[in-house]
Amino acid sequence: MTTAEGRNSTPAGLDDNLITDELARRPSQVPDYEAENRALAALTQEMTAEPCGVLQKCAELALALCHADSTGISLPEPGEEGVFRWCAAGGGLAAQAGRTVPREAGPSDAMLARDSVLLFREGERLFPGVHGVGPPVYEILLAPWHVHGKPVGALWAIKHTSEEQFNAEDARLLQSLAHSAAAAYQTTDALDQAEAGRTELEQQVAERTRALADAYASVQTSEARLRAALEIETVGAIYLDPDGRIIEANEAFLAMGGYSRADLEAGRLTWQRLTPPEWGEVSEHAFAELKATGQIPPYEKEYFRKDGSRWCALFAGKLLPDGMIFEFVLDITARKQAEQALATELKAMTRLHEVSRQVVDGAGLPAVLDAILDATIELHGADFGYMQLYDGKTGTLRIAAQRGFQQPFLDHFANVDATEASTCGMALARRERVVIEDVEQEPAYAPSLEMAREAGYRAVQSTPLVTPSGEMLGMLSTYFHQPHRLTDLDTKLTDVYARLAAEAIARVQAEAALRASEARLAHELNGARQLQRVSSELLVEQHPQTLYEQVLDAMRVIMRSQGASMQILEPDTGTLKLLAWRGFHPDAAAFWDRVDANSASTCGEALRTGRRILVSDVETCAFMAGTEDLAAYRLSNLRAVQSTPLRSRTGRALGMVSTHWRAPHEPSEDDFSHFDVLTRQAADLIERAQTEASLRESERQARLLLAELQHRVRNTLAVIRSIAHQTAETSETVEDYAMHLEGRIDAFARVQAAVTRDPSAGIDLAALVAEELLTCAAREGKQFSLTGPKVRLQPKAAETVGLAIHELATNAVKYGALASPKGHVMVAWCLEDREGDQRLKIEWTETGVPIVSLAPRRGGFGTELLTQTLPYQLRGAATLTFKPGGLECIMELPARGVLQ
């Protein structure tokens, strides 16, 4: 006997040899649902034809499905507690069928204690009941055998060698067989018992050997057993009358279809009403065979549920003696769905293989994207969809392939960024799939809801296309007319498509980048050769114009342009003079011979802004619209242009170089990199030419200056002798003489210094006056102010005017406005025309002198200089007027001979 305590215990060392967890880690074969369905159908047919052979059939099916060496079924021996019988056996232990084993000596006891699928190794050592009865036991796989929901025994499978091992799929199949066979065994057992009861009752009635009460009790027992059979929870059982009306059904069948007992009793359940039209022929064929043979072999068909949905079942029936029809019903909806999912996955994998082949064969990216989009729409059962490519520079998605959309929708979502209130915008922001099963119910989709209604979709999903390193490449989106939910298989296969699309995009982009790199390298090599050639030419003494032409030709090669031009800046006028050009119409070249900052051309704009200007299409350029410059571009058949300022190495503006294209164009950074090397050389070339010209001019000027210097030295000495002589005549003391002489010589020296710096430039009148007043420590703006046009004096005139201003400033410091805190000196000049002769008028006005000065009693050096020397040397005139508040002096000089 086995105690209760023993029933809940397991043999010593059991846990050490229990290796069930290894099932999940072992490689497993792909589920073969078709083979499994055939096995269940065979089990059902065996149950219908030979109920007593169900257990042995189950053992044989387990042997085949699980690829076992031996299989068997252990169930408790009726009437002997603690004893199990091998009710069926197959394989190497087939001869042991019917063997009895003590409960504690076999694996079934461990199964009862745990009620789950178990896997043991070295079973002979653990379970004495299997020792010595056949080949050695390497592994034992057990599945619980339930009766009325409780474990009572086990379906087991054995591996006798270590060449193969059980896996998770073997465990699933063994458990499925145990579940179905146990249900079938209960049903057949109950039916057998019911049949035996009926037979016994008929014999009792025939023989009339028993009392009516015993017969009634037997019938009651039989009916109870029949009801027990109909109470099986996993297998449906129904009785139909000859017209096809279901008159009785167990709860399992009613639950399968979602019907109530009231629906059954109302007579609304008939196989004709429950069977979808396309399955009618299958059902009629089955019932025709029933009438011919008395039974229906297992067959599949669908039934309607009460809610209108469908479920799939395996049916097997038999014609009863009273004309009624009995059918077993096994719900295989989940299995059929699994088969359908497998078929869908197989189809998707086939499409995936086709697309992968396109990628390998080098199909273009548009063809690959179209194929993936079509496959995804088919997989989802979507109504339309599109694929987008990601632009890393702008951070936006643009549509690259689409199916089923109208132009307004495509325009609306032409470019989408992470702030867009759409699934693709949300998916871009989150970097993960976004699914909206009903846009009408999603608050976040409200900004795009009107567009959704116009396009006619209710559900949408967007899946990012991302590389394994996390780089965003694009988006795959599908749309549905009605609310829709993706299945797990849909999302799994969509991820596969998305990975393939990302790989295809990455591959195409990499190949495009490689081709671009090769082309760029070739272009750079050509450019390098051009740069080398131009550099070599620059080392050889050539005419500048020839070098300009060669630089232009090199620029056209490097920039791959059809036109080019070089201009030099004329500092005096601030305009660009055309030095050389290529690709212009002659009239356009004449039009652009000189260009200033007001020109509506790129070189004019570059001159104005001081930076490079690029116009990729002159027809869309705002500052060129409707201008003569645009007409000149059109005349030369030019559509794109760039202009780059030329600067010396010190930053001085030298000119402009431009390149032109006959089609809209935008040069790359590499193009500009090589181009800028040429611009540096062009700038050096222009600067060198200017320097050489300046050097030659400087040599000429030096010769002139030397002659002028000799002349000026003589004149200067004469002027200084005159200043010394006149100062001596007008000075009363030696100290007064020395002071006035020093100031006048300093004033004369300042003018000479300015003349010496640039003899040909002349002396700026404003600078001359300001320097004399500043030398007297006067503050501009507070003590003196100057006004007048820009005027430059000839050196000789500047000497006399400078001395005159010095005398006026010295007098103002001593006696006039500069000696008073509130005094102010205003010096103004202008040019006046008098009878065709232009004259320079200079007015010196003092204000704020507190004591009105009177004219001096005798004329000094300053008075003589203004009233005698200035008219004599410059053919001018000067007047001195002592007014209330200060002195006023007006000098009038002829422009000719005075102004530079």
Side-chain angles (χ1 to χ4, degrees):
M1 295 292 290
T2 301
T3 65
E5 180 179 356
R7 286 195 298 269
N8 294 326
S9 64
T10 55
L14 177 67
D15 290 338
D16 294 336
N17 291 71
L18 181 62
I19 56 172
T20 309
D21 292 341
E22 287 191 14
L23 291 173
R25 295 190 290 272
R26 292 177 177 176
S28 182
Q29 68 270 27
V30 177
D32 190 348
Y33 293 112
E34 184 177 356
E36 184 181 357
N37 282 342
R38 288 197 301 268
L40 293 177
L43 189 64
T44 303
Q45 188 170 7
E46 185 73 15
M47 179 176 60
T48 303
E50 294 291 337
C52 61
V54 168
L55 297 183
Q56 184 61 33
K57 188 68 174 178
C58 178
E60 294 171 357
L61 292 173
L63 187 72
L65 288 178
C66 298
H67 306 287
D69 297 322
S70 294
T71 56
I73 299 173
S74 297
L75 296 176
E77 180 71 5
E80 293 188 39
E81 186 176 357
V83 176
F84 280 81
R85 180 176 295 277
W86 290 4
C87 299
L93 296 178
Q96 301 298 321
R99 174 186 175 85
T100 59
V101 178
R103 179 171 184 163
E104 61 273 13
S108 300
D109 192 49
M111 175 59 64
L112 297 179
R114 306 210 177 198
D115 191 18
S116 62
V117 174
L118 301 177
L119 177 65
F120 295 95
R121 63 185 173 193
E122 300 178 8
E124 286 183 297
R125 185 174 64 83
L126 291 173
F127 308 111
V130 298
H131 180 69
V133 298
V137 178
Y138 178 70
E139 285 188 353
I140 300 180
L141 181 65
L142 302 100
W145 186 281
H146 291 85
V147 173
H148 300 303
K150 296 182 179 180
V152 299
L155 171 61
W156 43 265
I158 292 177
K159 292 281 189 182
H160 292 301
T161 67
S162 60
E163 295 178 358
E164 293 184 352
Q165 295 177 325
F166 291 113
N167 55 47
E169 179 60 13
D170 295 328
R172 188 190 70 79
L173 289 169
L174 195 68
Q175 188 175 31
S176 176
L177 277 174
H179 185 71
S180 299
Y185 182 72
Q186 293 177 68
T187 302
T188 56
D189 183 60
L191 289 175
D192 288 343
Q193 292 182 35
E195 188 67 22
R198 287 187 178 185
T199 302
E200 182 181 357
L201 178 60
E202 290 173 357
Q203 290 176 354
Q204 289 173 356
V205 171
E207 297 173 357
R208 297 181 182 276
T209 58
R210 292 199 177 188
L212 183 59
D214 292 338
Y216 179 75
S218 178
V219 172
Q220 290 290 94
T221 302
S222 178
E223 290 178 353
R225 290 174 178 172
L226 182 59
R227 284 194 299 273
L230 294 177
E231 291 174 0
I232 297 175
E233 298 177 355
T234 56
V235 178
I238 57 175
Y239 288 93
L240 302 94
D241 63 17
D243 295 328
R245 184 170 64 89
I246 301 175
I247 59 176
E248 184 58 74
N250 66 353
E251 294 298 330
F253 176 81
L254 294 175
M256 292 173 187
Y259 292 100
S260 65
R261 183 65 57 181
D263 296 324
L264 177 66
E265 294 172 352
R268 291 193 289 268
L269 303 184
T270 67
W271 73 262
Q272 293 90 341
R273 293 184 59 183
L274 295 179
T275 303
E278 64 269 25
W279 290 96
E281 185 177 350
V282 174
S283 297
E284 291 173 356
H285 177 75
F287 278 89
E289 188 168 351
L290 175 68
K291 292 179 181 179
T293 64
Q295 63 181 13
I296 304 175
Y299 70 100
E300 296 178 5
K301 72 171 181 178
E302 289 183 349
Y303 261 3
F304 284 122
R305 290 191 180 94
K306 187 174 182 177
D307 61 7
S309 62
R310 299 184 179 195
W311 60 288
C312 189
L314 183 67
F315 293 83
K318 189 170 185 178
L319 184 63
L320 300 179
D322 59 359
M324 302 298 290
I325 303 168
F326 176 77
E327 278 192 316
F328 285 116
V329 185
L330 183 63
D331 187 352
I332 59 172
T333 303
R335 189 160 293 114
K336 296 300 290 184
Q337 289 175 344
E339 291 177 357
Q340 183 177 2
L342 185 61
T344 301
E345 188 169 359
L346 179 61
K347 186 175 183 180
M349 290 300 105
T350 302
R351 291 293 296 269
L352 184 63
H353 174 71
E354 294 173 354
V355 175
S356 300
R357 187 171 57 192
Q358 285 184 292
V359 175
V360 173
D361 292 344
L365 183 59
V368 173
L369 295 183
D370 285 341
I372 293 176
L373 178 59
D374 290 339
T376 307
I377 290 175
E378 181 180 359
L379 171 67
H380 292 175
D383 297 294
F384 28 71
Y386 59 66
M387 294 190 73
Q388 300 161 291
L389 295 180
Y390 181 69
D391 187 340
K393 294 182 179 180
T394 62
T396 59
L397 295 165
R398 61 174 181 82
I399 296 176
Q402 67 89 20
R403 293 290 185 274
F405 289 106
Q406 299 299 318
Q407 195 60 42
F409 179 92
L410 301 177
D411 293 340
H412 182 79
F413 291 109
N415 288 284
V416 175
D417 59 24
T419 63
E420 181 74 32
S422 61
T423 52
C424 47
M426 298 175 194
L428 177 61
R430 303 174 190 173
R431 298 297 177 104
E432 63 181 18
R433 179 187 291 110
V434 172
V435 180
I436 299 180
E437 296 176 1
D438 190 347
V439 297
E440 296 288 348
Q441 305 300 321
E442 177 55 54
Y445 206 78
S448 298
L449 190 56
E450 189 62 33
M451 179 55 65
R453 290 170 178 168
E454 291 180 8
Y457 62 86
R458 286 286 296 273
V460 57
Q461 74 79 31
S462 292
T463 299
L465 309 179
V466 183
T467 65
S469 62
E471 180 186 1
M472 175 64 69
L473 295 179
M475 195 73 61
L476 172 58
S477 302
T478 49
Y479 292 76
F480 308 84
H481 285 315
Q482 299 301 324
H484 185 81
R485 173 175 296 180
L486 298 179
T487 65
D488 292 340
L489 180 60
D490 288 341
T491 57
K492 181 179 72 173
L493 293 177
T494 301
D495 289 338
V496 175
Y497 283 142
R499 284 196 299 272
L500 178 62
E503 291 172 1
I505 294 171
R507 176 172 178 172
V508 170
Q509 289 181 345
E511 292 175 350
L514 179 61
R515 289 192 296 270
S517 177
E518 292 173 348
R520 185 169 60 253
L521 288 174
H523 179 61
E524 289 177 356
L525 178 61
N526 191 17
R529 290 171 178 168
Q530 292 290 331
L531 291 176
Q532 183 181 16
R533 184 180 64 81
V534 171
S535 299
S536 300
E537 295 293 342
L538 290 175
L539 297 176
V540 180
E541 291 295 333
Q542 293 191 42
H543 191 276
Q545 186 62 35
T546 303
L547 292 176
Y548 297 154
E549 302 283 346
Q550 292 176 348
V551 170
L552 279 187
D553 291 338
M555 286 181 176
R556 291 175 65 192
V557 172
I558 288 176
M559 296 297 279
R560 290 172 281 201
S561 65
Q562 292 76 50
S565 64
M566 184 182 297
Q567 300 158 294
I568 190 171
L569 178 65
E570 297 179 338
D572 293 341
T573 61
T575 59
L576 295 168
K577 175 71 174 67
L578 190 62
L579 292 177
W581 54 272
R582 293 283 190 276
F584 289 175
H585 189 279
D587 292 344
F591 175 74
W592 282 320
D593 182 63
R594 275 185 166 76
V595 173
D596 60 25
N598 296 319
S599 171
S601 61
T602 53
C603 51
E605 188 73 7
L607 178 62
R608 186 178 65 81
T609 61
R611 57 185 177 84
R612 175 185 285 137
I613 299 298
L614 168 65
V615 175
S616 57
D617 189 347
V618 297
E619 296 295 341
T620 61
C621 178
F623 68 79
M624 292 185 186
T627 64
E628 294 183 13
D629 291 89
L630 179 59
Y633 284 117
R634 290 172 175 170
L635 182 62
S636 300
N637 193 25
L638 300 175
R639 284 292 296 273
V641 57
Q642 70 82 26
S643 294
T644 300
L646 296 176
R647 296 187 179 279
S648 69
R649 296 184 182 273
T650 60
R652 180 170 60 90
L654 297 174
M656 196 76 59
V657 286
S658 304
T659 50
H660 309 76
W661 295 266
R662 302 201 185 282
H665 182 73
E666 189 167 333
S668 66
E669 293 182 3
D670 289 338
D671 290 341
F672 277 127
S673 176
H674 289 85
F675 176 74
D676 287 341
V677 175
L678 270 180
T679 61
R680 176 73 272 146
Q681 293 183 341
D684 290 344
L685 175 61
I686 292 176
E687 187 175 27
R688 188 178 76 180
Q690 290 180 342
T691 301
E692 292 175 351
S694 297
L695 182 60
R696 289 190 295 271
E697 179 63 19
S698 296
E699 292 174 350
R700 187 185 68 82
Q701 290 289 340
R703 290 192 295 271
L704 292 176
L705 183 61
L706 181 60
E708 178 68 16
L709 180 61
Q710 295 173 346
H711 175 72
R712 284 186 174 278
V713 168
R714 291 192 294 270
N715 288 344
T716 299
L717 291 175
V719 171
I720 291 176
R721 281 196 299 272
S722 175
I723 292 174
H725 177 72
Q726 293 182 20
T727 301
E729 290 183 350
T730 58
S731 297
E732 298 179 354
T733 64
V734 174
E735 291 79 5
D736 187 39
Y737 170 75
M739 179 187 67
H740 284 89
L741 180 62
E742 181 180 2
R744 289 162 183 161
I745 291 177
D746 286 345
F748 182 74
R750 284 192 291 274
V751 175
Q752 293 303 311
V755 171
T756 304
R757 282 194 296 268
D758 189 357
S760 63
I763 307 301
D764 183 71
L765 176 59
L768 178 67
V769 176
E771 188 172 7
E772 288 299 331
L773 289 170
L774 290 172
T775 302
C776 296
R779 292 172 294 173
E780 186 174 2
K782 290 187 176 181
Q783 290 183 291
F784 75 90
S785 58
L786 310 178
T787 179
K790 186 174 183 63
V791 173
R792 302 192 73 84
L793 304 176
Q794 294 182 7
K796 185 66 179 177
E799 292 175 358
T800 304
V801 174
L803 286 173
I805 296 298
H806 172 74
E807 292 303 318
L808 291 172
T810 302
N811 182 74
V813 170
K814 283 184 174 182
Y815 314 108
L818 298 183
S820 173
K822 296 183 179 180
H824 189 273
V825 175
M826 165 68 80
V827 182
W829 60 91
C830 62
L831 294 173
E832 296 180 345
D833 285 331
R834 293 188 182 176
E835 298 178 356
D837 185 21
Q838 193 176 45
R839 298 181 69 82
L840 172 65
K841 182 179 181 182
I842 304 174
E843 296 185 29
W844 174 287
T845 304
E846 297 181 21
T847 58
V849 179
I851 300 175
V852 177
S853 300
L854 299 176
R857 286 173 294 178
R858 70 182 184 88
F861 177 82
T863 303
E864 182 178 343
L865 177 67
L866 290 167
T867 59
Q868 298 180 25
T869 304
L870 188 143
Y872 173 76
Q873 292 185 350
L874 303 180
R875 291 179 289 116
T879 60
L880 294 172
T881 305
F882 293 89
K883 294 184 178 181
L887 172 67
E888 180 183 77
C889 176
I890 298 176
M891 293 175 278
E892 293 186 3
L893 306 172
R896 181 177 299 177
V898 173
L899 300 184
Q900 187 72 10

